[in-house]
Amino acid sequence: MVEEQRTQTPAPGASPGSSGSSRRRFLVAGAAAGLGVAAGARAEELPVPASSLKMGAPIPPESYGMPIEFEAHVKRRRSDVFKNKQNYSDWSMTPLHQQVGIVTPNGLFFERHHNGVAKIDPEQHRLVIHGLVEKPLAFSMSDLMRYPSVSRFHFMECSGNTLTDWREPKAVTVQQSHGLLSCAQWTGVPLSWLLDEAGVKPEGKWVMFEGGDGSGHLRSIPIEKVMDDALLVYGQNGEMLRAEQGYPLRAFFPGWEGNTCVKWLRRIKVVTEPDQIRGETARYTDPMPNGKWRQYSMEMECKSVITNPSGGMSLKGPGLYEVQGFAWSGRGKVTNVDLTFDGGRTWREAALEEPVLDKCLTRFRYRWNWDGSPAKIASRAKDTTGYVQPTVEEIARVREIVGFVQHHNGIFPWSVAQSGEVANAIA
Amino acid sequence: MRSLDLRSSVAALCVTLAVATAAQAADFGKRPEAGFGRPIGEADLKLWDIDIATPSGGNLPAGEGTVAAGKAVYEAKCLACHGENAAGGPVYGTMVGGIGSMTKSPRVLTPGSMYPYAPILFDYVRRAMPMNAPQSLTADEVYAVAAYIYNLNGLVPADFKMNAQTMPKIPMPNRDGFIRDDRPDTRAERCMTDCKPIGTVADASKPAASGTAAAAGGTGNQVIMGDPKSGAAASPAARP
């Protein structure tokens, strides 16, 4: 059953507001031409395209290649839901519905800064490791790049992803509801190697990471995570980090909330207990019943969302649509993704596209024959720990959902109207 | 040579398989024999080592500030964004009030209502404020502006002298307001047919079919230094 659903060729995903989507026009025209040939009918004679009749653009002496102008509408965007009064402690979101494959291009990778984008000369940059270590150490970038490197594919998600959409639909598109999520191949040095080199003292149980930006962003991480799979990252998707991703150096904790992956990293300090600074008490904590706050909740739990079709799109009449989306878990691999088309009464399993990697975006696909009647569609993921993505109702039974609440990994429904309009249906 | 490569490839494959079947832990291989870090002393890091161990006040620097001095610093450096009397301004909401609001809706989050340890304000102001000139205030100025903010929140008297000894001793109303991560806290099941339709947050306020006690479903919005009016309305005197 699942095998039958596996897609061989990409289908045209409807894309919101993309009047300039030449790709969709091309695919629709191609499909029509194909049918015409099969039926032996005539449509219209295709002219020789202009591109076949002249020389193309020459290769410039040197350049950094950019997407063609027809794709200029594919952009990161700031929040449409919140109007921040300044854009230094702010965020921009990835157009997940326009991403193909599991890797987010560097220019579309989401951003969250606490005091703007720092600009750091790598020649001047220094990283220090100190605190409860036998030998405090300093590293230049060229020192760090002498170590053997490792590369890993992992997602990164902001703890605040989807937080505008708990109680009522606020985000129109999946970029606005889920776009604080991206995925990349990260390259750097295992943090455990450097901490072993400095020699962590037995009483060192937490490790503090501090950025060299104007916010001095700082998070404390348990030593077990640091020594397990944490990386000191300088490369992303085949090139050095972009400035907005922390150039020249950031921490990376696979599967943990984005703000732990401190950018512009300048200092690592081994301590016995976390400092409990503002970012670990008054921010990045979760309201709980009885007036309490849950802190150091840094692991991102299993989550999924349908990206095609999604909010703001419009289906062009009944027929075959390939439903696509992403699933991910901060605790391991995704094992299953189920889809519903009737608001959760029945579910059927989607196909997972390889590669299915640890703490990485996993793409799911399902061929859906829409009969043209109103539908409510959603995805539900399960991970290797056996954890199943909950509904927002299930989350709200154990946490306090009052306004600005982080760690929303709830099942996210979209409604499909008879007209084909797709809309946020979280409530 | 060829057979040697093959042997090591097989060995590598076995290692890979062993790791793949293990529960977790990244296989980064052995740490290289050589290290490239250069020795440095804690004394060399005096200007960098600015974090405060906020529960104890460890690493608070020498210096002192009063409420009156803090008012002057505030009005010169902070008021433009945070407003008169720290009650909210053009960019940010209130930094005063909200004490006692953690079990109410909305929860009003200010340094007075939210911080479990008073030195958090020193750590944050010194590293990050003012936003256009972080780390520009002297230790005396940071102590003073902290005295001013905590005085407005009713936590220290008007003649309070803020310093490394007095700051950690200020009793903070939200001292015991935190729990450590205890997730997973949901136990959803993979129902495939005849399932309960996807519920909403509002549905959680209704009694659970399974008999689980429903969490108190707050109805309002939490205020994160966002709404000067809500914050000002909360009485600083209303301490638990």
Side-chain angles (χ1 to χ4, degrees), chain A residues 106-119:
Chain A
N106 287 338
L108 299 175
F109 204 97
F110 85 86
E111 299 167 276
R112 168 69 171 112
H113 318 304
H114 297 85
N115 195 357
V117 179
K119 185 172 175 180

Side-chain angles (χ1 to χ4, degrees), chain A residues 268-304:
Chain A
I268 296 173
K269 185 181 183 182
V270 181
V271 292
T272 52
E273 276 293 313
D275 276 348
Q276 307 254 15
I277 63 152
R278 176 179 176 271
E280 301 174 329
T281 54
R283 295 290 181 280
Y284 302 116
T285 52
D286 311 318
M288 299 295 288
N290 307 320
K292 299 289 186 188
W293 297 84
R294 176 187 277 146
Q295 62 179 165
Y296 301 105
S297 50
M298 299 179 280
E299 209 165 49
M300 298 306 289
E301 298 191 290
C302 187
K303 183 171 175 180
S304 68

Side-chain angles (χ1 to χ4, degrees), chain A residues 13-190:
Chain A
S15 55
S18 62
S19 52
S21 171
S22 54
R23 180 185 298 151
R24 189 171 69 201
R25 280 202 303 275
F26 168 78
L27 286 165
V28 170
L35 288 172
V37 169
R42 290 288 305 269
E44 60 181 311
E45 186 173 58
L46 298 175
V48 177
S51 57
S52 300
L53 300 173
K54 59 182 178 189
M55 296 171 78
I59 297 175
E62 53 190 7
S63 70
Y64 190 98
M66 297 297 288
I68 196 166
E69 66 211 66
F70 305 114
E71 297 298 321
H73 58 286
V74 181
K75 287 175 179 165
R76 288 191 292 236
R77 292 177 199 281
R78 294 204 305 252
S79 171
D80 290 342
V81 181
F82 281 97
K83 296 292 177 205
N84 278 319
K85 291 172 184 163
Q86 45 72 38
N87 306 117
Y88 298 90
S89 180
D90 201 352
W91 54 91
S92 74
M93 307 161 110
T94 294
L96 294 172
H97 55 295
Q98 289 157 327
Q99 178 172 324
V100 297
I102 57 171
V103 171
T104 309
N106 287 338
L108 299 175
F109 204 97
F110 85 86
E111 299 167 276
R112 168 69 171 112
H113 318 304
H114 297 85
N115 195 357
V117 179
K119 185 172 175 180
I120 295 178
D121 177 352
E123 295 289 328
Q124 303 300 318
H125 192 65
R126 293 293 180 273
L127 170 75
V128 300
I129 299 179
H130 73 125
L132 297 171
V133 294
E134 302 295 342
K135 287 182 299 179
L137 296 173
F139 301 85
S140 67
M141 284 308 297
S142 54
D143 292 335
L144 291 170
M145 294 181 76
R146 278 194 66 184
Y147 289 88
S149 70
V150 299
S151 294
R152 292 287 187 276
F153 288 92
H154 291 297
F155 77 85
M156 182 182 291
E157 184 181 18
C158 178
S159 53
N161 199 21
T162 320
L163 68 66
T164 56
D165 293 78
W166 283 101
R167 289 184 167 272
E168 52 186 313
K170 291 276 182 70
V172 173
T173 66
V174 72
Q175 180 169 11
Q176 291 290 323
S177 64
H178 287 75
L180 294 173
L181 168 73
S182 302
C183 186
Q185 187 189 36
W186 306 94
T187 298
V189 184

Side-chain angles (χ1 to χ4, degrees), chain A residues 167 210 275 288 294 393 400, chain B residues 51 54 107 196 216 218:
Chain A
R167 289 184 167 272
E210 183 179 69
D275 276 348
M288 299 295 288
R294 176 187 277 146
E393 177 189 349
E400 187 86 344
Chain B
D51 66 291
T54 71
R107 296 185 187 190
K196 178 181 176 296

Side-chain angles (χ1 to χ4, degrees), chain A residues 383-403:
Chain A
D383 69 18
T384 39
T385 69
Y387 176 91
V388 176
Q389 183 183 4
T391 62
V392 289
E393 177 189 349
E394 288 165 318
I395 299 171
R397 287 188 186 282
V398 291
R399 301 180 208 163
E400 187 86 344
I401 308 301
V402 281

Side-chain angles (χ1 to χ4, degrees), chain A residues 308-319:
Chain A
N308 290 78
S310 59
M313 297 183 182
S314 185
L315 302 186
K316 306 298 177 209

